[in-house]
Amino acid sequence: MAAALLLLVVLAAAALAGTEASAFAAASNNATAPPTPVVVVEGKLNVHLVPHSHDDVGWLKTVDQYYVGSNTTIQGACVMNTLDSVVDALARDPARKFVVVEQAFFQRWWAEKSPTIQAIVHKLVDSGQLEFINGGWCMHDEAAVHYIDMIDQTTLGHRMIKKQFNKTPRAGWQIDPFGHSAVQAYLLGAELGFESVHFARIDYQDRAKRKADKGLEVIWRGSRTFGSSSQIFTNAFPVHYSPPDGFDFEVLDDIIPVQDDMSLFDYNVEERVNDFVAAAIAQVNVTRTNHIMWTMGDDFNYQYAESWFRNMDTLIKHVNKDGRVHALYSTPSIYTDAKHASNESWPVKYDDYFPYADSTNAYWTGYFTSRPTFKRYVRVYSGYYLAARQIEFLVGRSSLGLFTSSLEDAMGIAQHHDAVSGTAKQHTTDDYSKRLALGASKVENGVSTALTCLTSSNRTCVSSTTKFEQCPLLNISYCPSTEKASSATKSLVVVVYNPLGWERSDFIRVPVNDENLAVKNSDGTIVESQLVEVDNVTSNLRKFYVKAYLGITSDKAPKYWLVFQASVPPMGWNSYYISKSTGAAHNGRGYASAVVSPSNDTIEVGPGPLKMSFSSASGQLKRMFNSVSGVDLPIQQSFLWYRSSEGDSMDSQASGAYIFRPDGNTPTIVSSSVSLKVIRGPLVDEVHQQFSSWVYQITRLYKNKEHAEVEYTIGPIPVDDDIGKEVITRMTANMVTNSTFYTDSNGRDFLKRAMLAPSRHPLE
């Protein structure tokens, strides 16, 4: 008997207010953390010096290159040197402090250290000289990242810190992400247990107003549902996460050292103390209480830590001797404790810090869509990782071990604010993708073995002739298992797993070559199915991408997509059996799709409650109608492109991966006349639109579904005219009547938006 061939298909889980709040009401919820001793001077301005290094987990270089310090022609950065140097410097003087953030780097370094060095680090952590803040695997993005991935990467780092040091980070340190989400505030802030969150990047206009109102520091109630029960003290820096001008002490920078040897000609203590006091007074004038924070560090600093600490030691000594202000080594936790003790009242903020702009023509919204393929790759494996961990738990880790661990590091790194954001260099993004692919391949092997255990009659991991295979390249219609099995005598079993906590009914699509197939569920009942012919565009793209991804020349593309509806219990699975039909396809409740030739001016599609109408003449969308809700909406869709700004004499800011900046011209429509192909069937209707040689779109409407599935392929974008193009799709509809709309927040919330001025195209 031929071995059954099984395929796993995973249903992926996919404003400054006028009121004020007393400091830390319900924000300080880390009750188990002892108070950090604070050495401050009452009645004086206390300047908290927070030594730090911002170490991107990949950006201009890969994460490995940053750690070991290679590829110095790009950037002279070596995180390994920073950690070595900081530990040596802290061990020299118990007054010194430093904060460590990215665990992706620290854990590599820790694993290499001898027991002697590890013992020194333990003492530094226990004494409070070395403090872990944020504590995630990386400093994650807050716009393009999903909230489950935010939780997972933070949990990974915190788990290691707890295991090695029995410590829990008290402060959030999101200093570099390009704007900040409300979900970050309440879910990854107050509900996680942080007492405060600190960052640098907020809109330049917002910062100016908050400085004038002394409102940079707020009580942030990111959730209107949870309100004051889930709020956090939030500190936005006055400028950036670097020190005030003149107080950068990185050894290779053009620094002004503090020289207190009177026998030398460059003795400058009085001058440097005066500069320090002036900078401190300027900052206290834009904030509240007599405590201010100086972020003493920048990107990949402290590679020779003694340069920083020697100068800060000297500054603290002479500033405190001068007596006008008081300087001290500090951390965000110490600073927050001092703010808490002041009994000050703070402004309350309810929404998020988006969008972020650092100047007039520099709105950092380009990264919302930069590198969309990588964004999708991260999101797909986010759902797969969640499902795999559940399967790992269900089968029992004692049976197979922790087989999902190979993906946790790659997924954690991918949430970095220069990774999923799409703002890293291409070779770095390639490295992120490679890590995900390698990690996922190991997890796939574990999942396949686990399913053998779970689906066996006695639920044990015994040897079996059953062979499980998975198809991670279904998005390019590549699945040799189903293509070969459906045209041979082998039976094909599709196992569908649902990681959600409720029953799920969704449509499954697998590529096949036989038009005479039947689908049955586990009790032998025939399941209605439909064959959809694979279009030429998909066939051509498949050849290109299979060669690019796998380095092989694939056989010709499959003939059909086999579509059927699967119902799966919560956190469970169902099996579906695909085999040759004994009679005609329709006798097995399998139906071939029909290509429709439009005979009227308008053609309506949709086998379910949602209908969409298209113009037969122009091929454009005209109308959407939902028979359940009664919504009847005239709507048009177009693809257009803006000319990318290259900057000008007045403002050199160009459009790019971070910033979306058109050059001011009216956008150009890709095409007004669209090639249209309509495919009908009992389960799904498809509309294929060819907008141009480089823009192709498929819209699917399913039976019993009230949403449309839109799949578009864009590119290569033509640039032979030497014009950079920002491609958009525009949905034009009379939906917004009161200038109010809602946007997604990390896949967890919707935030209400109010437009300052009516928009001609509110859905653009």
Side-chain angles (χ1 to χ4, degrees):
M1 180 177 177
L5 190 66
L6 291 96
L7 165 75
L8 173 69
V9 179
V10 175
L11 298 178
L16 190 63
T19 58
E20 296 191 346
S22 60
F24 310 93
S28 297
N29 53 11
N30 192 355
T32 59
T36 305
V38 181
V39 181
V40 299
V41 176
E42 296 296 332
K44 281 189 179 180
L45 171 57
N46 291 270
V47 184
H48 294 248
L49 306 182
V50 178
H52 79 101
S53 176
H54 176 55
D55 300 330
D56 290 299
V57 183
W59 176 37
L60 305 179
K61 304 199 295 187
T62 69
V63 61
D64 287 348
Q65 291 168 345
Y66 271 134
Y67 179 69
V68 301
S70 60
N71 215 346
T72 56
T73 57
I74 294 178
Q75 191 177 12
C78 178
V79 178
M80 180 169 56
N81 284 351
T82 293
L83 292 169
D84 283 339
S85 184
V86 164
V87 168
D88 287 344
L90 294 180
R92 290 192 181 106
D93 188 339
R96 295 171 171 177
K97 297 185 183 298
F98 191 83
V99 293
V100 171
V101 182
E102 294 85 3
Q103 289 301 301
F105 287 131
F106 179 83
Q107 293 301 325
R108 293 186 186 200
W109 180 85
W110 177 258
E112 297 172 353
K113 296 299 108 177
S114 67
T116 300
I117 298 298
Q118 288 186 348
I120 292 172
V121 175
H122 266 288
K123 291 180 180 179
L124 295 174
V125 172
D126 290 340
S127 69
Q129 283 187 262
L130 188 67
E131 181 177 328
F132 297 107
I133 58 174
N134 230 32
W137 212 239
C138 67
M139 187 180 295
H140 58 237
D141 173 58
E142 296 187 41
V145 66
H146 194 271
Y147 81 93
I148 289 178
D149 298 328
M150 296 164 75
I151 293 172
D152 284 347
Q153 79 88 21
T154 304
T155 301
L156 176 59
H158 282 213
R159 188 174 74 228
M160 301 302 288
I161 295 170
K162 187 69 174 178
K163 175 182 178 181
Q164 293 158 357
F165 300 96
N166 195 30
K167 299 289 183 182
T168 302
R170 297 175 57 194
W173 190 254
Q174 290 288 108
I175 60 173
D176 198 32
F178 325 127
H180 309 280
S181 75
V183 168
Q184 168 69 36
Y186 77 84
L187 183 63
L188 270 295
E191 292 193 14
L192 175 68
F194 288 159
E195 299 162 349
S196 61
V197 61
H198 308 259
F199 47 69
R201 297 190 184 274
I202 66 172
D203 184 86
Y204 73 104
Q205 300 163 97
D206 190 17
R207 191 194 306 274
K209 186 178 188 306
R210 291 182 180 279
K211 289 171 72 173
D213 297 340
K214 293 191 174 183
L216 286 167
E217 295 171 319
V218 300
I219 297 297
W220 193 1
R221 294 177 184 167
S223 170
R224 290 189 177 272
T225 301
F226 299 117
S228 61
S229 67
S230 189
Q231 65 187 24
I232 189 165
F233 176 71
T234 302
N235 170 27
F237 305 151
V239 183
H240 198 52
Y241 52 77
S242 51
D245 289 345
F247 294 95
D248 169 14
F249 301 119
E250 187 65 12
V251 67
L252 295 180
D253 292 346
D254 185 15
I255 68 174
I256 307 174
V258 185
Q259 179 57 269
D260 65 349
D261 186 343
M262 298 185 69
S263 67
L264 300 177
F265 291 151
D266 57 355
Y267 174 83
N268 63 357
V269 167
E270 183 177 354
E271 176 187 348
R272 300 304 281 140
V273 168
N274 287 339
D275 291 343
F276 187 101
V277 172
I281 292 174
Q283 184 170 333
V284 79
N285 286 332
V286 299
T287 187
R288 307 184 185 199
T289 80
N290 62 342
H291 295 274
I292 61 173
M293 177 192 290
W294 283 13
T295 48
M296 302 300 291
D298 210 309
D299 293 357
F300 300 99
N301 281 184
Y302 287 79
Q303 295 185 67
Y304 177 57
E306 194 61 25
S307 175
W308 281 93
F309 284 112
R310 181 175 59 243
N311 281 283
M312 287 188 289
D313 289 345
T314 309
L315 267 178
I316 291 172
K317 172 184 174 181
H318 290 287
V319 165
N320 292 344
K321 183 178 180 180
D322 174 83
R324 285 175 287 173
V325 301
H326 180 69
L328 67 152
Y329 281 117
S330 189
T331 69
S333 300
I334 294 174
Y335 177 76
T336 302
D337 287 342
K339 289 286 187 176
H340 187 189
S342 68
N343 294 318
E344 179 67 59
S345 292
W346 307 93
V348 179
K349 182 176 176 63
Y350 296 100
D351 52 4
D352 59 17
Y353 288 88
F354 287 119
Y356 162 62
D358 58 357
S359 64
T360 304
N361 295 310
Y363 280 87
W364 295 44
T365 56
Y367 79 100
F368 292 172
T369 54
S370 293
R371 291 199 169 89
T373 304
F374 181 67
K375 283 179 166 63
R376 182 187 186 277
Y377 197 43
V378 172
R379 193 59 55 86
V380 165
Y381 275 118
S382 170
Y384 183 77
Y385 181 44
L386 174 64
R389 283 183 293 169
Q390 292 178 2
I391 293 172
E392 177 183 67
F393 176 81
L394 291 172
V395 76
R397 291 178 177 175
S398 59
S399 301
L400 299 178
L402 193 63
F403 62 79
T404 59
S405 60
S406 63
L407 192 51
E408 62 183 1
D409 173 75
M411 281 298 296
I413 289 173
Q415 310 315 315
H416 170 58
H417 60 270
D418 281 307
V420 69
S421 61
T423 56
K425 293 295 184 181
Q426 186 59 55
H427 76 107
T428 305
T429 302
D430 292 343
D431 183 72
Y432 292 139
S433 299
K434 181 179 180 180
R435 292 172 184 277
L436 287 171
L438 291 174
S441 66
K442 296 178 182 179
V443 176
E444 287 169 10
N445 292 333
V447 167
S448 296
T449 303
L451 285 176
T452 300
C453 308
L454 293 174
T455 57
S456 64
S457 58
N458 56 5
R459 294 289 181 93
T460 59
C461 298
V462 296
S463 59
S464 173
T465 58
T466 300
K467 181 183 179 183
F468 283 86
E469 294 185 17
Q470 297 167 59
C471 295
L473 296 180
L474 275 176
N475 63 313
I476 57 171
S477 69
Y478 184 77
C479 184
S481 304
T482 63
E483 295 170 46
K484 294 176 182 178
S486 61
S487 59
T489 57
K490 294 180 181 179
S491 60
L492 176 68
V493 182
V494 177
V495 177
V496 186
Y497 183 80
N498 173 24
L500 300 178
W502 53 89
E503 185 177 2
R504 185 109 175 256
S505 179
D506 218 332
F507 287 89
I508 304 302
R509 297 164 52 89
V510 294
V512 297
N513 279 303
D514 197 317
E515 63 183 16
N516 194 23
L517 297 172
V519 181
K520 298 179 182 180
N521 60 24
S522 56
D523 64 7
T525 303
I526 293 177
V527 178
E528 186 177 27
S529 61
Q530 176 184 339
L531 289 172
V532 179
E533 190 172 352
V534 174
D535 60 284
N536 290 333
V537 174
T538 299
S539 298
N540 293 333
L541 287 173
R542 167 189 159 120
K543 295 176 184 177
F544 173 80
Y545 286 115
V546 168
K547 179 67 174 178
Y549 291 166
L550 302 179
I552 62 174
T553 301
S554 69
D555 298 333
K556 62 182 180 180
K559 296 179 180 178
Y560 309 102
W561 285 103
L562 177 64
V563 183
F564 63 93
Q565 191 167 18
S567 296
V568 192
M571 294 184 66
W573 64 90
N574 268 338
S575 298
Y576 292 86
Y577 301 84
I578 301 172
S579 60
K580 294 271 190 178
S581 177
T582 55
H586 64 274
N587 291 333
R589 296 191 70 188
Y591 299 86
S593 304
V595 178
V596 178
S597 298
S599 57
N600 300 318
D601 292 340
T602 301
I603 181 168
E604 184 178 87
V605 298
L610 180 65
K611 309 292 183 183
M612 299 177 74
S613 297
F614 294 81
S615 168
S616 300
S618 68
Q620 299 275 17
L621 175 65
K622 294 178 62 177
R623 173 177 171 265
M624 295 178 67
F625 173 71
N626 188 320
S627 61
V628 174
S629 65
V631 172
D632 191 346
L633 185 69
I635 185 169
Q636 294 82 43
Q637 182 199 16
S638 302
F639 282 93
L640 308 95
W641 56 269
Y642 288 96
R643 292 171 59 110
S644 302
S645 174
E646 298 179 355
D648 51 46
S649 59
M650 301 295 292
D651 187 340
S652 61
Q653 178 62 62
S655 191
Y658 293 89
I659 293 168
F660 171 58
R661 186 190 179 191
D663 69 356
N665 290 317
T666 301
T668 301
I669 190 167
V670 171
S671 176
S672 298
S673 181
V674 179
S675 172
L676 188 69
K677 177 182 176 181
V678 178
I679 301 172
R680 291 192 187 277
L683 298 182
V684 60
D685 285 356
E686 291 191 355
V687 179
H688 295 228
Q689 294 170 288
Q690 185 83 53
F691 287 82
S692 74
S693 61
W694 53 278
V695 178
Y696 184 73
Q697 179 172 281
I698 302 175
T699 302
R700 300 185 181 95
L701 291 93
Y702 290 96
K703 178 182 179 181
N704 302 325
K705 297 294 183 180
E706 296 182 59
H707 67 270
E709 177 183 292
V710 180
E711 177 185 302
Y712 57 85
T713 303
I714 298 176
I717 299 173
V719 291
D720 51 347
D721 53 6
D722 293 326
I723 297 175
K725 296 175 177 64
E726 308 280 0
V727 182
I728 67 164
T729 186
R730 175 187 288 168
M731 307 293 288
T732 306
N734 187 25
M735 293 177 62
V736 181
T737 58
N738 59 357
S739 299
T740 299
F741 63 103
Y742 293 82
T743 61
D744 168 74
S745 185
N746 301 114
R748 184 174 173 86
D749 278 346
F750 281 102
L751 293 185
K752 183 177 180 180
R753 304 290 187 187
M755 285 186 274
L756 297 179
S759 172
R760 181 180 178 185
H761 301 291
L763 298 184
E764 182 173 309

mmCIF file of all heavy atoms in Angstrom, residues 34-42 46 48 97 170 291 326 328-341:
data_model
loop_
_atom_site.group_PDB
_atom_site.id
_atom_site.type_symbol
_atom_site.label_atom_id
_atom_site.label_comp_id
_atom_site.label_asym_id
_atom_site.label_seq_id
_atom_site.Cartn_x
_atom_site.Cartn_y
_atom_site.Cartn_z
ATOM 1 N N PRO A 34 12.555 45.869 44.643
ATOM 2 C CA PRO A 34 12.880 46.770 45.746
ATOM 3 C C PRO A 34 13.198 48.160 45.213
ATOM 4 O O PRO A 34 13.672 48.307 44.091
ATOM 5 C CB PRO A 34 14.122 46.121 46.367
ATOM 6 C CG PRO A 34 14.742 45.350 45.235
ATOM 7 C CD PRO A 34 13.600 44.865 44.396
ATOM 8 N N PRO A 35 12.937 49.198 46.002
ATOM 9 C CA PRO A 35 13.260 50.552 45.548
ATOM 10 C C PRO A 35 14.751 50.693 45.274
ATOM 11 O O PRO A 35 15.586 50.195 46.018
ATOM 12 C CB PRO A 35 12.834 51.430 46.734
ATOM 13 C CG PRO A 35 11.875 50.595 47.515
ATOM 14 C CD PRO A 35 12.319 49.177 47.333
ATOM 15 N N THR A 36 15.062 51.330 44.165
ATOM 16 C CA THR A 36 16.459 51.586 43.837
ATOM 17 C C THR A 36 16.959 52.762 44.670
ATOM 18 O O THR A 36 16.327 53.817 44.674
ATOM 19 C CB THR A 36 16.598 51.930 42.344
ATOM 20 O OG1 THR A 36 16.013 50.883 41.573
ATOM 21 C CG2 THR A 36 18.052 52.091 41.962
ATOM 22 N N PRO A 37 18.056 52.610 45.408
ATOM 23 C CA PRO A 37 18.554 53.728 46.214
ATOM 24 C C PRO A 37 18.897 54.921 45.337
ATOM 25 O O PRO A 37 19.527 54.781 44.298
ATOM 26 C CB PRO A 37 19.798 53.153 46.897
ATOM 27 C CG PRO A 37 20.169 51.962 46.074
ATOM 28 C CD PRO A 37 18.907 51.417 45.508
ATOM 29 N N VAL A 38 18.463 56.089 45.747
ATOM 30 C CA VAL A 38 18.670 57.305 44.978
ATOM 31 C C VAL A 38 19.496 58.278 45.803
ATOM 32 O O VAL A 38 19.140 58.607 46.932
ATOM 33 C CB VAL A 38 17.316 57.951 44.603
ATOM 34 C CG1 VAL A 38 17.548 59.207 43.792
ATOM 35 C CG2 VAL A 38 16.454 56.966 43.827
ATOM 36 N N VAL A 39 20.611 58.707 45.224
ATOM 37 C CA VAL A 39 21.450 59.687 45.904
ATOM 38 C C VAL A 39 21.201 61.030 45.234
ATOM 39 O O VAL A 39 21.798 61.355 44.210
ATOM 40 C CB VAL A 39 22.939 59.307 45.826
ATOM 41 C CG1 VAL A 39 23.779 60.335 46.565
ATOM 42 C CG2 VAL A 39 23.159 57.911 46.388
ATOM 43 N N VAL A 40 20.275 61.783 45.789
ATOM 44 C CA VAL A 40 19.937 63.089 45.230
ATOM 45 C C VAL A 40 20.085 64.134 46.330
ATOM 46 O O VAL A 40 20.167 63.807 47.521
ATOM 47 C CB VAL A 40 18.505 63.112 44.666
ATOM 48 C CG1 VAL A 40 18.344 62.098 43.553
ATOM 49 C CG2 VAL A 40 17.479 62.851 45.769
ATOM 50 N N VAL A 41 20.084 65.387 45.919
ATOM 51 C CA VAL A 41 20.188 66.492 46.860
ATOM 52 C C VAL A 41 18.899 67.301 46.782
ATOM 53 O O VAL A 41 18.564 67.851 45.727
ATOM 54 C CB VAL A 41 21.396 67.391 46.549
ATOM 55 C CG1 VAL A 41 21.422 68.585 47.492
ATOM 56 C CG2 VAL A 41 22.688 66.587 46.666
ATOM 57 N N GLU A 42 18.167 67.332 47.856
ATOM 58 C CA GLU A 42 16.920 68.085 47.888
ATOM 59 C C GLU A 42 17.193 69.578 47.710
ATOM 60 O O GLU A 42 18.183 70.111 48.221
ATOM 61 C CB GLU A 42 16.197 67.848 49.222
ATOM 62 C CG GLU A 42 15.749 66.410 49.437
ATOM 63 C CD GLU A 42 14.719 65.951 48.430
ATOM 64 O OE1 GLU A 42 13.969 66.822 47.924
ATOM 65 O OE2 GLU A 42 14.665 64.751 48.125
ATOM 66 N N ASN A 46 18.867 68.097 40.076
ATOM 67 C CA ASN A 46 19.614 66.848 40.002
ATOM 68 C C ASN A 46 19.684 66.371 38.546
ATOM 69 O O ASN A 46 18.651 66.165 37.901
ATOM 70 C CB ASN A 46 18.941 65.773 40.859
ATOM 71 C CG ASN A 46 19.048 66.077 42.338
ATOM 72 O OD1 ASN A 46 19.994 65.674 42.995
ATOM 73 N ND2 ASN A 46 18.057 66.799 42.873
ATOM 74 N N HIS A 48 20.603 63.483 36.178
ATOM 75 C CA HIS A 48 20.814 62.034 36.157
ATOM 76 C C HIS A 48 21.546 61.654 34.879
ATOM 77 O O HIS A 48 20.986 61.743 33.779
ATOM 78 C CB HIS A 48 19.478 61.303 36.222
ATOM 79 C CG HIS A 48 18.735 61.494 37.507
ATOM 80 N ND1 HIS A 48 18.536 60.470 38.407
ATOM 81 C CD2 HIS A 48 18.144 62.597 38.056
ATOM 82 C CE1 HIS A 48 17.841 60.921 39.449
ATOM 83 N NE2 HIS A 48 17.594 62.218 39.250
ATOM 84 N N LYS A 97 27.649 53.468 36.577
ATOM 85 C CA LYS A 97 26.486 52.671 36.173
ATOM 86 C C LYS A 97 26.412 52.596 34.660
ATOM 87 O O LYS A 97 26.970 53.427 33.944
ATOM 88 C CB LYS A 97 25.192 53.277 36.730
ATOM 89 C CG LYS A 97 25.115 53.287 38.254
ATOM 90 C CD LYS A 97 23.769 53.786 38.746
ATOM 91 C CE LYS A 97 23.723 53.860 40.273
ATOM 92 N NZ LYS A 97 23.919 52.525 40.895
ATOM 93 N N ARG A 170 12.719 46.907 34.904
ATOM 94 C CA ARG A 170 11.703 47.813 35.443
ATOM 95 C C ARG A 170 11.323 48.930 34.485
ATOM 96 O O ARG A 170 10.294 49.574 34.677
ATOM 97 C CB ARG A 170 12.218 48.448 36.748
ATOM 98 C CG ARG A 170 12.482 47.466 37.876
ATOM 99 C CD ARG A 170 13.106 48.183 39.069
ATOM 100 N NE ARG A 170 12.260 49.278 39.528
ATOM 101 C CZ ARG A 170 12.665 50.241 40.361
ATOM 102 N NH1 ARG A 170 13.923 50.245 40.782
ATOM 103 N NH2 ARG A 170 11.836 51.189 40.744
ATOM 104 N N HIS A 291 14.430 67.175 38.650
ATOM 105 C CA HIS A 291 15.192 66.025 38.158
ATOM 106 C C HIS A 291 15.138 66.000 36.640
ATOM 107 O O HIS A 291 14.050 66.054 36.051
ATOM 108 C CB HIS A 291 14.632 64.709 38.708
ATOM 109 C CG HIS A 291 14.766 64.570 40.189
ATOM 110 N ND1 HIS A 291 15.902 64.067 40.788
ATOM 111 C CD2 HIS A 291 13.911 64.878 41.198
ATOM 112 C CE1 HIS A 291 15.736 64.077 42.106
ATOM 113 N NE2 HIS A 291 14.541 64.570 42.378
ATOM 114 N N HIS A 326 23.385 69.362 40.990
ATOM 115 C CA HIS A 326 23.931 68.104 41.500
ATOM 116 C C HIS A 326 23.914 67.074 40.378
ATOM 117 O O HIS A 326 22.881 66.848 39.738
ATOM 118 C CB HIS A 326 23.110 67.602 42.683
ATOM 119 C CG HIS A 326 23.612 66.310 43.260
ATOM 120 N ND1 HIS A 326 24.799 66.224 43.948
ATOM 121 C CD2 HIS A 326 23.092 65.053 43.234
ATOM 122 C CE1 HIS A 326 24.992 64.972 44.339
ATOM 123 N NE2 HIS A 326 23.966 64.245 43.918
ATOM 124 N N LEU A 328 24.790 63.017 39.103
ATOM 125 C CA LEU A 328 24.938 61.666 39.636
ATOM 126 C C LEU A 328 24.805 60.647 38.523
ATOM 127 O O LEU A 328 24.115 60.874 37.518
ATOM 128 C CB LEU A 328 23.890 61.388 40.711
ATOM 129 C CG LEU A 328 22.412 61.314 40.272
ATOM 130 C CD1 LEU A 328 21.646 60.397 41.209
ATOM 131 C CD2 LEU A 328 21.767 62.693 40.236
ATOM 132 N N TYR A 329 25.501 59.516 38.686
ATOM 133 C CA TYR A 329 25.268 58.378 37.811
ATOM 134 C C TYR A 329 23.878 57.828 38.110
ATOM 135 O O TYR A 329 23.474 57.703 39.269
ATOM 136 C CB TYR A 329 26.301 57.281 38.043
ATOM 137 C CG TYR A 329 27.637 57.533 37.382
ATOM 138 C CD1 TYR A 329 28.800 57.691 38.136
ATOM 139 C CD2 TYR A 329 27.736 57.588 35.989
ATOM 140 C CE1 TYR A 329 30.034 57.901 37.524
ATOM 141 C CE2 TYR A 329 28.963 57.804 35.373
ATOM 142 C CZ TYR A 329 30.104 57.962 36.138
ATOM 143 O OH TYR A 329 31.314 58.171 35.530
ATOM 144 N N SER A 330 23.153 57.464 37.048
ATOM 145 C CA SER A 330 21.773 57.047 37.259
ATOM 146 C C SER A 330 21.358 56.031 36.199
ATOM 147 O O SER A 330 22.131 55.672 35.302
ATOM 148 C CB SER A 330 20.849 58.269 37.226
ATOM 149 O OG SER A 330 19.535 57.947 37.623
ATOM 150 N N THR A 331 20.139 55.560 36.338
ATOM 151 C CA THR A 331 19.495 54.674 35.368
ATOM 152 C C THR A 331 18.053 55.139 35.214
ATOM 153 O O THR A 331 17.562 55.934 36.033
ATOM 154 C CB THR A 331 19.500 53.212 35.847
ATOM 155 O OG1 THR A 331 18.622 53.092 36.976
ATOM 156 C CG2 THR A 331 20.902 52.742 36.218
ATOM 157 N N PRO A 332 17.331 54.679 34.201
ATOM 158 C CA PRO A 332 15.916 55.053 34.093
ATOM 159 C C PRO A 332 15.094 54.691 35.320
ATOM 160 O O PRO A 332 14.148 55.403 35.680
ATOM 161 C CB PRO A 332 15.450 54.274 32.857
ATOM 162 C CG PRO A 332 16.676 54.112 32.040
ATOM 163 C CD PRO A 332 17.788 53.913 33.035
ATOM 164 N N SER A 333 15.440 53.598 35.994
ATOM 165 C CA SER A 333 14.706 53.202 37.201
ATOM 166 C C SER A 333 14.940 54.194 38.336
ATOM 167 O O SER A 333 14.004 54.587 39.037
ATOM 168 C CB SER A 333 15.128 51.801 37.634
ATOM 169 O OG SER A 333 14.868 50.857 36.620
ATOM 170 N N ILE A 334 16.191 54.593 38.518
ATOM 171 C CA ILE A 334 16.509 55.573 39.559
ATOM 172 C C ILE A 334 15.828 56.903 39.255
ATOM 173 O O ILE A 334 15.245 57.545 40.137
ATOM 174 C CB ILE A 334 18.031 55.759 39.672
ATOM 175 C CG1 ILE A 334 18.687 54.466 40.169
ATOM 176 C CG2 ILE A 334 18.376 56.922 40.600
ATOM 177 C CD1 ILE A 334 20.195 54.516 40.171
ATOM 178 N N TYR A 335 15.893 57.297 38.006
ATOM 179 C CA TYR A 335 15.261 58.553 37.584
ATOM 180 C C TYR A 335 13.752 58.515 37.830
ATOM 181 O O TYR A 335 13.163 59.475 38.341
ATOM 182 C CB TYR A 335 15.559 58.777 36.105
ATOM 183 C CG TYR A 335 14.921 60.003 35.511
ATOM 184 C CD1 TYR A 335 15.423 61.276 35.769
ATOM 185 C CD2 TYR A 335 13.817 59.900 34.671
ATOM 186 C CE1 TYR A 335 14.846 62.412 35.211
ATOM 187 C CE2 TYR A 335 13.227 61.018 34.103
ATOM 188 C CZ TYR A 335 13.748 62.273 34.381
ATOM 189 O OH TYR A 335 13.164 63.382 33.827
ATOM 190 N N THR A 336 13.123 57.407 37.492
ATOM 191 C CA THR A 336 11.681 57.276 37.683
ATOM 192 C C THR A 336 11.322 57.300 39.158
ATOM 193 O O THR A 336 10.318 57.918 39.563
ATOM 194 C CB THR A 336 11.176 55.978 37.024
ATOM 195 O OG1 THR A 336 11.501 56.009 35.633
ATOM 196 C CG2 THR A 336 9.673 55.831 37.186
ATOM 197 N N ASP A 337 12.114 56.637 39.996
ATOM 198 C CA ASP A 337 11.864 56.687 41.437
ATOM 199 C C ASP A 337 11.917 58.117 41.953
ATOM 200 O O ASP A 337 11.113 58.535 42.795
ATOM 201 C CB ASP A 337 12.900 55.834 42.183
ATOM 202 C CG ASP A 337 12.669 54.342 42.008
ATOM 203 O OD1 ASP A 337 11.550 53.954 41.619
ATOM 204 O OD2 ASP A 337 13.609 53.563 42.258
ATOM 205 N N ALA A 338 12.878 58.887 41.454
ATOM 206 C CA ALA A 338 13.011 60.279 41.890
ATOM 207 C C ALA A 338 11.813 61.107 41.441
ATOM 208 O O ALA A 338 11.313 61.958 42.187
ATOM 209 C CB ALA A 338 14.304 60.872 41.337
ATOM 210 N N LYS A 339 11.345 60.879 40.221
ATOM 211 C CA LYS A 339 10.154 61.578 39.740
ATOM 212 C C LYS A 339 8.927 61.198 40.569
ATOM 213 O O LYS A 339 8.086 62.033 40.892
ATOM 214 C CB LYS A 339 9.914 61.233 38.267
ATOM 215 C CG LYS A 339 10.918 61.845 37.297
ATOM 216 C CD LYS A 339 10.663 63.335 37.122
ATOM 217 C CE LYS A 339 11.535 63.930 36.031
ATOM 218 N NZ LYS A 339 11.246 65.348 35.765
ATOM 219 N N HIS A 340 8.843 59.944 40.903
ATOM 220 C CA HIS A 340 7.729 59.455 41.705
ATOM 221 C C HIS A 340 7.698 60.142 43.070
ATOM 222 O O HIS A 340 6.639 60.546 43.565
ATOM 223 C CB HIS A 340 7.859 57.939 41.878
ATOM 224 C CG HIS A 340 6.681 57.295 42.544
ATOM 225 N ND1 HIS A 340 6.694 55.980 42.937
ATOM 226 C CD2 HIS A 340 5.460 57.781 42.896
ATOM 227 C CE1 HIS A 340 5.528 55.690 43.504
ATOM 228 N NE2 HIS A 340 4.768 56.760 43.489
ATOM 229 N N ALA A 341 8.877 60.287 43.664
ATOM 230 C CA ALA A 341 8.968 60.876 45.004
ATOM 231 C C ALA A 341 8.612 62.356 45.021
ATOM 232 O O ALA A 341 8.363 62.929 46.088
ATOM 233 C CB ALA A 341 10.375 60.668 45.562
#
